[in-house]
Amino acid sequence: MEKDYRILITGGKGMLGKAILKLFNKENLNFKILDLPEFDITKKEMVEKEIKNYNPTHILNFSAYTNVDRAEIEKEIAFEVNEKGVENIVFFLKEYNFKIIHISTDYVFSGEKEGEWEEDDLPAPINVYGLSKFYGEKKLYNLKDYLIIRTSWLFGPGGENFVKKISEKLKNGENLKVVKDQRGCPTYTKVLAEGILFLIKKEAKGIYHFCQPPSTTWYEFAVKIKEFLNLKNKIEPVLSEEYKTLAKRPKNSVLSIKKIIKKFNYNIPNWEESLKEYLKEL
């Protein structure tokens, strides 16, 4: 069955794209990776040309404007990529008959809930990035067959991420201040890539949350990085108010993974083991 797949991956040169590339090569899947500067999801004619030429069974959309703070200034660009880009793919769906798998974010939620965010909880983003990603999701809601995978706190080889940043600072002997009042779940790109392929093979529909348990704070995450690196730097917990950023962040963006476990009996490993693996690679 696998050999029938023809998967077009947009925005595939980033951190998650590198993990997918490795996995799809290992699985001998037919796929094509597209990204800037040769391919721009905001250009409708480029999108059509690639779809027409490749005739995909699936389009895996990784294209995203992800700079959370800069999005507050570059609002139009964020919406152009995160909303209009998705609309451009959807536009050619009837004519070319493929399935869309779209990657979204925990930041579509307000952060005001006490417990974990379920797939059917109402999004209410508190920053431009989250809002643009939510508007992108909405382009798919009326389709018969689509898959949205919401994830959070990504780390992995081939891109800037929290683990890389913190480990570099610690290795340079710096003492750090890290926020203690934002809670979420880290996700290793390799583990997410495996989850994406699993859901494609299972022909999953609708929205699924995918992250690695247990929930943690940025401060606790940084302390665990320090512990695994066996370093003695001082890490001080601070409140978000003390660490000013352009974009407001949700206090609680913990995604519930009960749906994928219940429906498919799928086992998602804890992030601590993945963190150890990634730190060895670094």
Side-chain angles (χ1 to χ4, degrees), residues 65-277:
Y65 182 105
T66 58
N67 191 314
V68 179
D69 287 317
R70 206 164 64 216
E72 297 296 312
I73 302 159
E74 299 181 342
K75 190 176 176 180
E76 281 182 21
I77 304 170
F79 275 91
E80 189 73 16
V81 179
N82 294 344
E83 181 190 13
K84 187 77 194 327
V86 182
E87 186 177 67
N88 285 344
I89 296 173
V90 172
F91 185 82
F92 298 107
L93 187 65
K94 272 186 184 164
E95 193 178 343
Y96 295 101
N97 192 30
F98 49 83
K99 178 169 175 171
I100 299 177
I101 297 102
H102 177 65
I103 305 302
S104 194
T105 172
D106 55 332
Y107 277 26
V108 298
F109 295 116
S110 66
E112 298 301 317
K113 190 179 177 179
E114 286 295 319
E116 298 175 342
W117 292 94
E118 309 280 344
E119 282 82 352
D120 55 3
D121 282 330
L122 198 65
I126 57 171
N127 56 44
V128 170
Y129 165 69
L131 192 63
S132 66
K133 289 296 286 181
F134 174 46
Y135 274 53
E137 281 192 13
K138 289 208 297 189
K139 297 293 174 188
L140 307 183
Y141 289 170
N142 293 326
L143 301 178
K144 280 197 187 103
D145 188 6
Y146 69 87
L147 175 60
I148 292 169
I149 300 168
R150 293 192 189 123
T151 189
S152 58
W153 297 23
L154 281 191
F155 68 94
E160 288 306 310
N161 61 78
F162 181 81
V163 179
K164 189 182 174 194
K165 203 184 292 178
I166 293 294
S167 62
E168 281 171 359
K169 286 177 183 288
L170 291 171
K171 285 172 187 174
N172 287 336
E174 293 179 44
N175 293 322
L176 307 174
K177 289 183 178 182
V178 183
V179 293
K180 65 174 182 180
D181 58 348
Q182 292 171 27
R183 180 166 286 277
C185 292
T187 314
Y188 188 31
T189 49
K190 179 186 169 187
V191 173
L192 177 56
E194 288 164 355
I196 290 167
L197 181 55
F198 176 84
L199 289 170
I200 289 172
K201 287 180 175 181
K202 289 289 179 186
E203 297 180 3
K205 291 181 183 184
I207 301 172
Y208 281 85
H209 289 171
F210 195 103
C211 59
Q212 290 179 260
S215 72
T216 188
T217 65
W218 290 116
Y219 166 72
E220 290 163 351
F221 196 22
V223 168
K224 194 54 76 175
I225 294 165
K226 182 183 92 163
E227 186 189 305
F228 288 164
L229 290 172
N230 202 23
L231 295 168
K232 302 285 181 235
N233 316 51
K234 190 181 170 195
I235 303 179
E236 186 188 334
V238 295
L239 294 169
S240 301
E241 286 69 39
E242 297 172 59
Y243 190 82
K244 291 288 179 201
T245 54
L246 280 174
K248 200 178 170 191
R249 262 75 168 172
K251 290 289 171 76
N252 168 34
S253 65
V254 180
L255 299 174
S256 168
I257 52 171
K258 288 191 197 98
K259 184 177 174 182
I260 190 171
I261 294 166
K262 195 176 170 186
K263 192 163 174 68
F264 298 113
N265 197 26
Y266 189 77
N267 175 46
I268 302 178
N270 284 12
W271 57 263
E272 289 190 16
E273 289 309 309
S274 297
L275 177 60
K276 279 182 192 170
E277 189 181 319

